[in-house]
Amino acid sequence: MPAQLTCEHLNNPLGIGRERPLLGWTPGVVQTAWRIRASESCAALVAGAATRWDSGWTTDRRCATVWGGTPVASRERVWWLVEVRDAAGTVHSSDPAHFEAGLLSVEDWDCGWIGCPAMRHGRALLFRTLFSLDRAVVRARLYVAGVGLYEPRLNGSKVGDRVLEPPPVTWTRRVPAAAYDVTEAVQPRGNVLGAIVGHGWAGQRALLMRLEISHSDGPMTVVATASPYDGSWLWQVREGQYLADSLFDGEEVDQGLEPRGWDAPGARTGCDPAEPRTRQWMQAYRVPGPGGEPVFTAVEPMRVVATSAPVSTRRVRPGLTIVDTGQNLAGWVRLAAMPAGSQAVLRHGEFLDADGQVDQTNLYQAAATDRVVFAEGGGDYEPRFTYHGFRHVAIEHPSGVEPRVSICRVRSDLARRGDFTCSDPTIAAIHRLVVATEESNLHGVPTDCPQRPERQGWLNDFTARGEELVHNFNCAAFLNKWLDDISDVQDRLGRIPDTVPHHWGRHPADPLCIAPVSIPWLLWRHFGDSAVIDRHWPLMTGWVDYLATRRDAAGIIHDTNWGDWAAPAEETVAGSIGGSAISARTPGALVSTGHFVHMARMLARLATVSGRVTEAAQWTTTATQAAGDFHRAFFFQESGRCGYGSGNQACNALALALELVPATHIPAVAAALAAEVAGRGNRLSTGNICTKYLLEALTRHGHHDVAVAVACQHAYPSWGHMLDHGATTVWERWEHLTTGGMNSHNHPMLGSCGAWFYHGLVGLRDDVEAEPGTRWLLTPGVATGVDAASAELPTMRGRLSVSWRRTNEALAVEVVVPPGVEVMLAQPHGYLGEARTLAAGRWEIHLDLDRSGQAAAARVGLGSK
């Protein structure tokens, strides 16, 4: 039966922000037609009603569609289900699902921003109001938008389990809003609604809150900031226990300064003359908004996704303990309560210095230090307004008191998607590095690092890591949010900056920043989201149109900021560590022009699938012309040697992987690339962008053994070199550095190999010529030294599973194909058999080793279907 119903890529979301959301499902059968029914209640839906929408039967294989009923209204909850018809005409129905809209227009808020301008800088603020209820509660929703991080409080408890809310955006364009179901938290008579607001990503503190309480009779009760409903609602602000908070530097907390019970029923209202002025509650200021309107975005919030104990705790001296988490990660330490009046200081770092102390020299200006003064009854300490990238923590504490800690991993709560295993221990370990690095860099946007005062959404990094991310994490909602962020900062000329939200880097961005086009492509191919194409067509075409204006008379784009960034130090313009990480032998114009062609080709295909026939033809022509310009400008053939640019690994790999090499030259360029790699002892010389292309080009063009040898390499530069030096996440540089400067030990941009593990080693690749998710190409990536590999990857039609294992005489391949999907199996080089199509079911296939050079049929065993 159909299952896994989603709205805006989430299960039963509360607080969506679109009037016409995207609905998706997994059919569970070979779907020939589908129908959606929706009603205002679950009971009505189950009874057969479709009061909100009946799509009627649609004959196609899509597993996602945009809401086609009357637009969804603010606050509306909709129940829906999907029916699918299989090839035999049998109708299968899903269980009901639901979604609920947030406030879809700024007028729905009907309240104002509060804050505390021009005073109490550096301190988090407390806000609260008291209200009473005299009627039974049917439903209660709390809507919150904040500039600065906030924690909503109701009747003495935190509301929900979100942390570091809201995620980073461009506040002048859009402010993320969240909805909370607080029906069970409100109570008859006295209630207290409050919030703690820190500086967060924006460095400001302002709050917009609206609590709506529905009753079985009479009007709704509304409690809101700067509310016009009733002047008796008194909002107040007060300094509390948070003496300082900074996302990058950490927190300073004094539990003794927290007014006990300030957010609990029974709290006193108004000012208390007996209290010192610095501890009195005061009228909150109504402040101007940040410029952007509050917008509800369906996206996974940040949460504490896991907790663990440290792997070791070492007492350096009385009062100083160093904790090793065993894993470089993003999050914080939860410190158990200590004696009242005692102070603890927690300093975070990625590695230890020569003396075994926590080393913070690579953190730039980030202090990454939390301080807490404990008080009687104050409880454990856990940060609210900061997070750290770290493996080690030095804890200064009272002598004679041993700290008790838990390690909290914090990130956007994206579920894992794919799974990969490999018999080679190096490759298996690299996969773990890649996944752990992504887990450390998903914080509202795909960040570059979690430890220093940067933590930016670098678009050039995403060019490398994007495909790896969609294989390993269910990131559809997350990337939709970031795409909105990118659209927010595009100017009227179509330009975008290097980072989004923009704080670092240059404007306009490096032309290799393909995210405005590649994200819609990935969302369409992997998650069936075609709505994103229409929504962001101006963003996509605006950026590529702008780049087209930067082409010279020969069709070449010379604009470049980073190019193939962070190649091995000897390959950079500096020639060693300490200078620029720009590649010395990979022309920026080659990288920029190659990616322009790549984007134009994607636009041509996206225009076709979205019905833009004229634009599809125009972009096809542009791509063809630009590819010819690229070849004429950068190809060389001399003295029996040919290639592109300088002929180094990066130039040739990019040209091959982006299909910029005419067919007649492909064998020679691929051979030149393989020879150059082998001549270096199977060591790479590429940076963040072209490392991805190196593995892909070698595998795709007959040199898979060389690609595997590069991946398994332990000599510098390599991922194995990182592992040999204790890495648990991917480094920013290929070099082993434990000093200051550009030296993050938790940086995803060199982790692009994570995608190649799936489509190069396992051999499973999306057939881009077919409807998304319906056809996959499989050529097992058998190579010297690798005896087995497997992968599982969810498709829109179910989970696809592939594993292969070789023996001395044969290759055993197992494939589980979900209904409505087909896998085109081709035998790898050196094995007998013919290409064949695998339909839904479980397949066990044995390919004999080719010892004679004679073709023969594979032995195929078909399991249960």
Side-chain angles (χ1 to χ4, degrees):
M1 64 183 293
Q4 298 175 346
L5 274 61
T6 61
C7 173
E8 292 292 291
H9 301 289
L10 301 178
N11 296 316
N12 299 328
L14 172 64
I16 65 167
R18 301 194 196 280
E19 295 180 333
R20 297 189 180 278
L22 180 72
L23 306 179
W25 63 91
T26 300
V29 296
V30 179
Q31 173 184 300
T32 60
W34 56 269
R35 177 190 184 191
I36 290 175
R37 292 192 293 111
S39 289
E40 74 284 352
S41 73
C42 184
L45 184 66
V46 172
T51 54
R52 284 300 283 113
W53 182 36
D54 187 339
S55 69
W57 284 101
T58 301
T59 305
D60 64 33
R61 302 175 68 188
R62 281 182 298 161
C63 299
T65 189
V66 173
W67 172 265
T70 56
V72 176
S74 291
R75 309 174 182 87
E76 183 180 8
R77 171 168 283 205
V78 175
W79 288 84
W80 67 288
L81 57 77
V82 63
E83 299 168 329
V84 301
R85 192 159 55 210
D86 64 21
T90 304
V91 174
H92 307 263
S93 181
S94 73
D95 290 332
H98 59 81
F99 59 86
E100 183 174 315
L103 305 179
L104 301 184
S105 72
V106 67
E107 290 77 17
D108 288 322
W109 287 85
D110 197 17
C111 56
W113 289 91
I114 60 171
C116 194
M119 60 190 302
R120 295 177 179 83
H121 291 301
R123 296 176 180 244
L125 303 176
L126 307 183
F127 297 91
R128 73 173 185 186
T129 190
L130 283 65
F131 65 95
S132 294
L133 298 174
D134 57 6
R135 290 176 291 158
V137 175
V138 173
R139 187 176 95 161
R141 296 290 186 267
L142 176 62
Y143 304 111
V144 189
V147 180
L149 299 177
Y150 62 80
E151 180 182 289
R153 310 281 300 180
L154 181 58
N155 291 333
S157 299
K158 176 182 174 179
V159 176
D161 60 357
R162 300 176 179 221
V163 300
L164 301 176
E165 187 76 13
V169 294
T170 301
W171 309 97
T172 57
R173 298 298 305 274
R174 185 162 43 95
V175 181
Y180 301 85
D181 183 348
V182 293
T183 306
E184 300 301 320
V186 294
Q187 58 188 37
R189 296 176 295 279
N191 291 267
V192 178
L193 175 65
I196 311 173
V197 184
H199 296 77
W201 310 95
Q204 305 172 28
R205 296 152 299 161
L207 188 68
L208 193 66
M209 294 183 77
R210 181 179 176 88
L211 173 61
E212 297 184 350
I213 304 170
S214 301
H215 308 279
S216 57
D217 62 322
M220 181 168 58
T221 299
V222 176
V223 182
T225 54
S227 173
Y229 287 96
D230 189 334
S232 65
W233 298 117
L234 179 64
W235 277 87
Q236 300 172 311
V237 59
R238 171 184 180 167
E239 297 178 28
Q241 69 182 103
Y242 282 86
L243 304 178
D245 72 277
S246 164
L247 195 66
F248 306 127
D249 291 334
E251 293 181 347
E252 185 176 347
V253 172
D254 187 338
Q255 292 181 342
L257 296 180
E258 181 178 6
R260 299 297 169 82
W262 70 274
D263 59 350
R268 289 182 295 178
T269 187
C271 298
D272 185 351
E275 289 273 17
R277 181 175 177 79
T278 57
R279 295 176 64 86
Q280 290 184 6
W281 288 85
M282 296 175 290
Q283 181 76 38
Y285 290 88
R286 184 161 184 167
V287 298
E293 294 184 356
V295 175
F296 288 83
T297 301
V299 66
E300 298 89 346
M302 284 176 267
R303 292 188 175 99
V304 175
V305 297
T307 59
S308 60
V311 297
S312 70
T313 301
R314 176 168 56 92
R315 184 178 183 183
V316 178
R317 56 173 170 77
L320 177 61
T321 299
I322 293 182
V323 170
D324 182 359
T325 70
Q327 171 69 57
N328 205 341
L329 55 88
W332 55 62
V333 168
R334 182 183 297 148
L335 183 60
M338 289 186 171
S342 62
Q343 176 176 276
V345 179
L346 299 88
R347 293 187 300 107
H348 304 76
E350 294 189 289
F351 44 82
L352 303 177
D353 63 20
D355 296 325
Q357 303 295 316
V358 171
D359 193 331
Q360 294 187 311
T361 56
N362 71 323
L363 302 187
Y364 296 178
Q365 296 81 26
T369 299
D370 299 328
R371 293 178 172 84
V372 56
V373 177
F374 289 92
E376 189 69 36
D380 299 345
Y381 167 69
E382 184 171 352
R384 280 189 173 100
F385 302 123
T386 190
Y387 77 98
H388 307 289
F390 66 101
R391 174 173 173 170
H392 304 277
V393 187
I395 305 177
E396 297 177 19
H397 56 87
S399 296
V401 178
E402 289 303 317
R404 294 179 291 118
V405 304
S406 297
I407 311 302
C408 299
R409 289 170 167 81
V410 177
R411 62 172 170 85
S412 295
D413 194 10
L414 277 62
R416 284 293 309 278
R417 185 169 180 245
D419 188 32
F420 165 82
T421 65
C422 182
S423 62
D424 182 83
T426 296
I427 290 176
I430 295 169
H431 173 67
R432 291 192 294 270
L433 289 189
V434 171
V435 171
T437 309
E438 281 295 353
E439 288 177 333
S440 302
N441 284 283
L442 301 172
H443 293 86
V445 298
T447 60
D448 61 328
C449 59
Q451 71 293 100
R452 64 194 185 208
E454 187 171 353
R455 311 180 197 189
Q456 298 295 302
W458 280 93
L459 273 71
N460 66 321
D461 287 1
F462 191 82
T463 299
R465 75 192 268 203
E467 191 178 7
E468 169 270 308
L469 177 60
V470 299
H471 277 79
N472 285 315
F473 288 88
N474 189 2
C475 56
F478 181 80
L479 290 181
N480 261 291
K481 181 266 181 191
W482 198 41
L483 204 57
D484 289 341
D485 295 338
I486 299 171
S487 183
D488 282 347
V489 297
Q490 186 175 40
D491 66 19
R492 61 183 181 82
L493 298 179
R495 299 176 301 185
I496 57 173
D498 273 329
T499 61
V500 177
H502 183 47
H503 300 291
W504 287 50
R506 301 176 186 175
H507 192 296
D510 192 306
L512 66 82
C513 293
I514 64 173
V517 182
S518 69
I519 293 177
W521 176 273
L522 291 169
L523 290 173
W524 171 56
R525 294 306 310 173
H526 283 262
F527 304 101
D529 187 348
S530 58
V532 70
I533 302 171
D534 291 331
R535 190 164 61 248
H536 287 293
W537 191 250
L539 168 65
M540 292 187 277
T541 55
W543 173 231
V544 188
D545 278 338
Y546 165 73
L547 292 177
T549 69
R550 304 300 299 163
R551 300 166 71 194
D552 67 10
I556 303 305
I557 298 175
H558 294 275
D559 298 359
T560 181
N561 299 339
W562 316 110
D564 190 30
W565 180 254
E570 63 273 13
E571 298 289 329
T572 64
V573 295
S576 62
I577 290 297
S580 173
I582 292 175
S583 174
R585 299 179 59 232
T586 307
L590 179 147
V591 178
S592 295
T593 306
H595 284 92
F596 175 79
V597 180
H598 186 38
M599 285 188 282
R601 285 173 174 166
M602 285 191 284
L603 280 176
R605 182 68 186 283
L606 293 172
T608 299
V609 301
S610 60
R612 296 172 166 87
V613 178
T614 301
E615 288 179 271
Q618 292 170 343
W619 284 113
T620 298
T621 299
T622 297
T624 301
Q625 292 174 344
D629 294 337
F630 177 93
H631 178 71
R632 285 187 290 272
F634 298 111
F635 181 72
F636 68 87
Q637 190 169 20
E638 57 189 23
S639 303
R641 177 174 172 263
C642 69
Y644 288 80
S646 67
N648 69 348
Q649 292 178 17
C651 294
N652 285 343
L654 181 148
L656 287 165
L658 296 186
E659 299 181 357
L660 300 169
V661 184
T664 55
H665 296 300
I666 287 175
V669 175
L673 174 62
E676 206 277 343
V677 175
R680 287 176 172 262
N682 293 325
R683 291 182 297 157
L684 53 78
S685 63
T686 49
N688 68 334
I689 301 299
C690 292
T691 296
K692 169 181 169 60
Y693 300 145
L694 175 66
L695 298 177
E696 291 177 355
L698 289 169
T699 290
R700 194 181 305 173
H701 296 292
H703 303 282
H704 182 60
D705 269 347
V706 179
V708 172
V710 170
C712 295
Q713 179 67 256
H714 280 255
Y716 163 82
S718 67
W719 297 283
H721 177 72
M722 298 182 192
L723 290 168
D724 291 345
H725 286 83
T728 59
T729 45
V730 179
W731 299 342
E732 183 176 19
R733 302 295 300 262
W734 292 112
E735 293 75 26
H736 179 230
L737 305 175
T738 55
T739 57
M742 181 182 158
N743 179 28
S744 164
H745 281 214
N746 195 340
H747 219 86
M749 67 184 186
L750 294 178
S752 59
C753 57
W756 176 81
F757 291 158
Y758 288 87
H759 59 63
L761 268 177
V762 176
L764 183 64
R765 187 183 296 271
D766 173 31
D767 184 349
V768 298
E769 298 303 320
E771 185 178 341
T774 60
R775 189 163 68 225
W776 296 79
L777 308 177
L778 174 60
T779 305
V782 182
T784 302
V786 180
D787 295 323
S790 68
E792 290 189 9
L793 192 66
T795 73
M796 290 160 278
R797 290 162 176 78
R799 201 162 184 88
L800 175 61
S801 173
V802 174
S803 66
W804 58 260
R805 178 176 297 277
R806 67 173 180 172
T807 64
N808 291 333
E809 299 295 329
L811 181 71
V813 183
E814 294 186 8
V815 186
V816 178
V817 185
V821 176
E822 59 183 18
V823 173
M824 314 301 291
L825 173 65
Q827 77 278 13
H829 177 72
Y831 287 86
L832 301 173
E834 298 178 353
R836 60 180 296 118
T837 301
L838 309 181
R842 183 181 186 89
W843 299 81
E844 296 180 357
I845 302 162
H846 297 270
L847 302 173
D848 291 327
L849 190 65
D850 184 2
R851 295 187 179 279
S852 64
Q854 301 296 315
R859 292 178 280 120
V860 179
L862 175 62
S864 59
K865 286 186 116 178

